[in-house]
Amino acid sequence: MGRRFFLDVPVLLESPYMEKNTFLVAAAVALLGFAFGFFLANTFNRGEMDVLRAENERLRSTSGSSAQQTGQTELAENEIQAKISEADASPENLGFQRNLGLALYRYSSMKQDVRLLGESARLIERAISLSPKDRELKVAAGNAHFDMGYFGKQNESFEKARKYYSAALADNPTDSNVITDLGLSYFLQDPQDLAAAKREFDRSLKIDPKNEKTLQFAIQTLWRMGRGDEAADLLEQLKVINPKSPAVNELSSILTQNPPKQ
């Protein structure tokens, strides 16, 4: 399971890996400081957007077809809080904690709502305490904390994400997508830990040399480390794997520039 599960509707969702869409573009540009926002947004898409949209429409319909958009949103928020309270009232109900936690994660990630991401993480963690062998929950907890770190610029959340990703990898050490997200937690923290990011991207590529997302961020990492020749070699690999990838032109342009000072 990648990055990135939902309740009502909007990233970083299945994840990572969420083929994240343009909602991440502005944040990516501001965070990374170069013209690669579109690509970063795209690689983070966790998918299932159709499912979320359908759920969003369902929630809107429950609030009354004649209601204004603002009223619908408020009613949806009330419904969400009611569900959270219901989960808190039945903390031993594994199915409820699990399903609501995963659904709320999807919704809050799309909304980029750090507070609700925290609630989703809390419910997912409660479900993990009830079912400690559930690997999907471990990845989901990692994703929720990852998104809190990304949207809220919280290094401590990236650290918590790494805890859960590591637990998931203990169950399946060959999941290249989770390894890549682990690397991204170092790449996106402030300040970046490029050496740690590279270590995880290298590990992922040994398992899946054709993982495009991993290649794309490994290229950026090497470039930022001042290792442009190695970055160019990986870019050639990416071109062979997917010559039509929009990331190829973006990365080619980046490699002609001087990397930012670390």
Side-chain angles (χ1 to χ4, degrees):
M1 177 175 64
R3 266 183 131 356
R4 339 194 121 21
F5 320 359
F6 303 50
L7 171 73
D8 299 347
V9 189
V11 139
L12 274 154
L13 302 194
E14 253 210 54
S15 345
Y17 307 104
M18 292 189 191
E19 273 79 73
K20 291 182 190 255
N21 289 308
T22 56
F23 76 91
L24 284 181
V25 173
V29 172
L31 177 65
L32 299 180
F34 55 85
F36 206 49
F38 168 77
F39 169 64
L40 178 61
N42 187 56
T43 58
F44 270 133
N45 188 331
R46 294 182 180 78
E48 300 186 356
M49 298 297 291
D50 289 341
V51 175
L52 287 182
R53 292 191 182 100
E55 273 297 286
N56 190 51
E57 289 305 313
R58 182 191 67 78
L59 285 181
R60 290 183 177 181
S61 67
T62 63
S63 64
S65 59
S66 62
Q68 296 296 318
Q69 178 65 38
T70 54
Q72 293 171 336
T73 301
E74 180 64 27
L75 286 172
E77 292 300 317
N78 289 343
E79 181 175 353
I80 291 169
Q81 190 55 55
K83 289 296 183 181
I84 293 172
S85 297
E86 186 177 346
D88 288 340
S90 303
E92 300 303 317
N93 187 332
L94 171 60
F96 197 89
Q97 309 301 320
R98 189 183 197 281
N99 295 335
L100 180 60
L102 294 179
L104 184 60
Y105 163 70
R106 292 177 175 177
Y107 173 79
S108 56
S109 183
M110 286 180 64
K111 292 291 188 182
Q112 305 179 25
D113 189 322
V114 175
R115 183 188 69 81
L116 285 181
L117 279 167
E119 292 283 23
S120 73
R122 184 171 65 83
L123 295 175
I124 293 169
E125 288 168 343
R126 182 185 289 161
I128 291 174
S129 71
L130 299 171
S131 181
K133 294 184 179 181
D134 191 327
R135 184 174 182 275
E136 182 182 5
L137 286 175
K138 296 174 186 176
V139 176
N143 290 340
H145 285 294
F146 181 104
D147 291 2
M148 290 170 67
Y150 181 77
F151 294 124
K153 296 181 173 58
Q154 302 171 357
N155 280 356
E156 63 274 16
S157 292
F158 283 129
E159 293 173 3
K160 291 180 180 179
R162 290 193 278 269
K163 167 189 170 183
Y164 286 105
Y165 287 151
S166 295
L169 288 169
D171 297 332
N172 178 8
T174 62
D175 190 328
S176 63
N177 285 327
V178 172
I179 296 171
T180 297
D181 279 352
L182 181 59
L184 280 171
S185 73
Y186 292 108
F187 184 85
L188 294 171
Q189 72 177 31
D190 185 19
Q192 294 176 306
D193 187 340
L194 295 176
K198 180 181 181 302
R199 179 189 68 223
E200 301 304 335
F201 295 150
D202 287 348
R203 180 158 65 123
S204 177
L205 289 173
K206 286 182 180 179
I207 297 168
D208 183 5
K210 295 184 179 181
N211 190 316
E212 292 184 41
K213 189 180 82 169
T214 312
L215 280 169
Q216 292 160 357
F217 283 102
I219 291 166
Q220 294 182 61
T221 298
L222 287 168
W223 171 70
R224 285 177 166 262
M225 296 176 77
R227 300 165 68 168
D229 290 344
E230 295 175 62
D233 289 342
L234 286 187
L235 179 57
E236 291 305 311
Q237 292 183 36
L238 179 60
K239 290 179 181 178
V240 172
I241 295 168
N242 185 4
K244 295 183 179 180
S245 169
V248 168
N249 288 336
E250 295 284 357
L251 288 168
S252 297
S253 175
I254 287 170
L255 294 187
T256 65
Q257 305 170 30
N258 293 324
K261 293 182 179 180
Q262 298 299 316

